[in-house]
Amino acid sequence: MKYLLSILFVLFYFNSKAQCTLMGNISAEDSNNPLEQVSVYMPQVEKGTVTGSNGEFVMNNLPVGTYKIVASYMGYQTYSSTITLTQGTITLDIVLSPSAIEMEEVIVSTPFHKLQRENVMKVEQAAVESLRKMGAITLSDGITNIPGVESVSTGVGIGKPVIRGLSSNRVLVYSQGIRLENQQFGDEHGLGISAAGVESVEVIKGPASLLYGSDALGGVLYLNPEQFANINSTKGDINLNYFTNTQGVNANAGFKTSGEKFKFLVRGAYTSHADYKGGNSLRVTNSRFNEFDLKTALGYQLGKFKTELRYNLNSSDLGIPEEIGIQDLGRTPMSPYQEINSHILSSKSDLFFNNSSLRITLGYILNNRKEFEEEEDVEIPPTSPDDLKPALDMKLSTFSYNVQYNLPTLGRLQTIAGLQGMSQDNKNFGEEVLIPNAITNDIGLLATSHIHFEKSDVQLGIRFDNRTIKGEETGIVGEEGYIAQLDRNFNSFNAALGYRIDFLKNFIGRINLASGFRAPNLAELTSNGVHEGTNRFEIGNPNLKNEKNLQIDIALEYGSQHFEFFANGFYNIISDYIFIEPNGEFVDNNPVYNYIQQDANLYGGEIGFHFHPHPLDWLHVQSSFESVIGQLDNDDYLPLIPANKLSNTLRLEFNNSQKWITDGYTFITLNTIFDQNRVATFETSTMGYNLLNAGFGASLKLFKQDVELMVTALNILNKDYISHLSRLKVDDISNIGRNINIGLSIPL
């Protein structure tokens, strides 16, 4: 810790005279005309600008070295190249080729700053703005529009990401460049992140333990924070949303400004929803929730040194629905409910050498989760009394660090070596103890390399991890809630190998083989009591071993100016898969569940296309199909495996010649979710259903003010259905019915 802080202290005062200025012009290949408002960005330096009216751009105070530069503009293929900067002024002229394919972005969750088409690993990326236009109420709901990604839901306010059938501690979530730790072991513990202030979402579908260590066995959900404004610019905006089903409101406002050296941004958001109404016109009692979110960041950049500090406060009150009862539009959660406060503080600092760089990322998270339960024979008023004591009161503090050194490039070889780790302290202050007071320490060493050839790329790496967990003894021996002292140590070696090739014109092939691991969490090791959120008596197993997996991914992509196609397949072999199943016993009418282990296999994939015919570039036809099957070695099916899903979308884009309306669009989507009959022994089958969605939007000029209008209608036919991944399924409670979202975005 002291060593890392010393490095940061030295870096802060580091200043170099070896600086560079990059300038140039950008024009269109089809017309030779200069292009205005083209985004020019250098991902390693995290510095960007836009072109002026004559296509010119300039960036000052750049470090000497070799870096990637990306230029993107709607209607043109994203330009990506490597440039060597030397002291003084460098000139670069760029010509963009026309394309109807959407602009590509740099992938941040993998270490070599590649565009998606250049990346060896297949990573899905979606802008949060595009997910918002699909009408999602929460970020957890929005990510289900990404093929291969679903969500385990408890109503509309609580959701956990599912990647190819794996969830909970098997999917690692990153926010602000650090791993998000918020007691995610619980089935009813949601994502806990507001979409406000999140720029985009990246999904690694498969083991990413090489890059992220334990808990990335099933994949990574990487949330890219809002970027700073471009150099010497200031921006602001207000966003308002109304949801008819829950009579919900969401509002957020942001401001950001950047000079040559200093950058600043701030965004605040507030959300409030009443109980949602199912397709049967009944409101689901206590599915209401409220959320306040604040994100702010400060950055400094000069020559060879840059740093940024980010802070996020998220405060949520979440009702835990259990029945169809009171039918009202109250917004204050009733018992049982959760009160969650999270503080996320992160810093990221980079030092650039002539042909190498060093990045240090530090993070601190304080998560306080309180759960208030129903009290027998006591009437709970509509608003919770201040003196109501929480049954569960858990405070989790996590300090994490990530040091990565980009070694000097050797010909075609790029290599990164890193040291990662965390120190975590869990403490209980409530009447009940779900998991014990415990300290967890992680440390991992990694090295990964990328080798670039003319038409192919190879990426490989190796990593070693060690995790120690020490838990305190809790309760009285022989009684419910007793937890023995815990002292466990887990080690793991992991490796990954990937190959990407341009084997035909416009065709890209990828094959990746990677291993992963996950150390059992505290709940799996120590549980001994009723988990109110799941209404079951859980018994942990202190002798559980690491989960280990080996997954092979094969991906094929075709992309031309007017047609795109993808096909992804995977096979995932998991040793010592940890799962929970009933043993047939009951304690106080609660079924007893034991944590056990058995080998398992998951396999499936996604396939889809995107067609925008010439000359009808305004017409877009998209379709995708996703499927996953999970089985134990005894041929029993795994629980919470999403049903097969087919999604078809017709989208039209338009602009008005008078310029009072621009970037207009309208779409209609039919999602077909098939029957799920491949279920675990303690699950029930789920009937399939169809959901019809539609929407339209545009940027308008009203009284000389730019306004973006968005209207989206989900489940237009008000279908009464229950998702297989709904935790309310056991109580025969429907998912949300028809919901119309009306949104306004006003730039300032």
Side-chain angles (χ1 to χ4, degrees), residues 275-477:
D275 296 339
Y276 78 85
K277 184 187 298 183
N280 55 10
S281 298
L282 295 175
R283 294 198 177 274
V284 178
T285 307
N286 205 30
S287 58
R288 61 196 68 177
F289 66 97
N290 303 292
E291 179 185 52
F292 170 77
D293 189 84
L294 174 68
K295 293 184 176 75
T296 187
L298 179 66
Y300 173 81
Q301 188 167 9
L302 178 63
K304 287 194 170 187
F305 174 68
K306 74 178 184 69
T307 187
E308 66 178 50
L309 182 69
R310 291 182 181 266
Y311 171 71
N312 178 203
L313 166 64
N314 185 276
S315 180
S316 302
D317 294 322
L318 304 164
I320 301 178
E322 296 181 325
E323 61 180 2
I324 305 296
I326 298 173
Q327 298 289 296
D328 64 20
L329 292 172
R331 295 176 182 270
T332 300
M334 302 177 291
S335 297
Y337 71 96
Q338 296 180 41
E339 183 181 289
I340 306 168
N341 290 284
S342 291
H343 302 267
I344 305 174
L345 180 66
S346 66
S347 73
K348 181 176 66 176
S349 300
D350 292 83
L351 181 62
F352 299 96
F353 307 102
N354 287 347
N355 197 24
S356 63
S357 62
L358 177 69
R359 169 170 290 182
I360 299 177
T361 305
L362 304 176
Y364 178 76
I365 300 177
L366 177 61
N367 176 260
N368 185 197
R369 182 180 295 272
K370 298 179 181 180
E371 188 169 304
F372 298 84
E373 299 175 0
E374 292 177 304
E375 297 184 6
E376 297 181 1
D377 302 323
V378 176
E379 182 179 352
I380 304 297
T383 58
S384 300
D386 294 335
D387 58 353
L388 184 62
K389 294 182 179 180
L392 291 174
D393 187 353
M394 301 181 290
K395 290 186 178 179
L396 185 71
S397 59
T398 306
F399 169 74
S400 61
Y401 56 90
N402 185 356
V403 181
Q404 291 191 347
Y405 178 57
N406 287 263
L407 278 69
T409 302
L410 298 175
R412 300 177 181 270
L413 177 67
Q414 292 177 271
T415 300
I416 293 175
L419 170 69
Q420 296 176 348
M422 75 170 186
S423 180
Q424 188 174 86
D425 188 6
N426 182 78
K427 291 187 180 299
N428 290 277
F429 299 91
E431 299 173 355
E432 300 178 7
V433 175
L434 190 62
I435 58 175
N437 294 344
I439 294 177
T440 302
N441 286 299
D442 276 2
I443 187 168
L445 295 169
L446 71 99
T448 181
S449 296
H450 182 278
I451 308 171
H452 176 69
F453 301 99
E454 184 177 352
K455 290 188 176 182
S456 63
D457 298 87
V458 174
Q459 190 168 315
L460 67 162
I462 191 169
R463 177 181 179 122
F464 171 76
D465 282 275
N466 173 262
R467 168 172 285 191
T468 60
I469 304 177
K470 294 185 178 182
E472 297 179 5
E473 182 182 34
T474 301
I476 300 174
V477 178

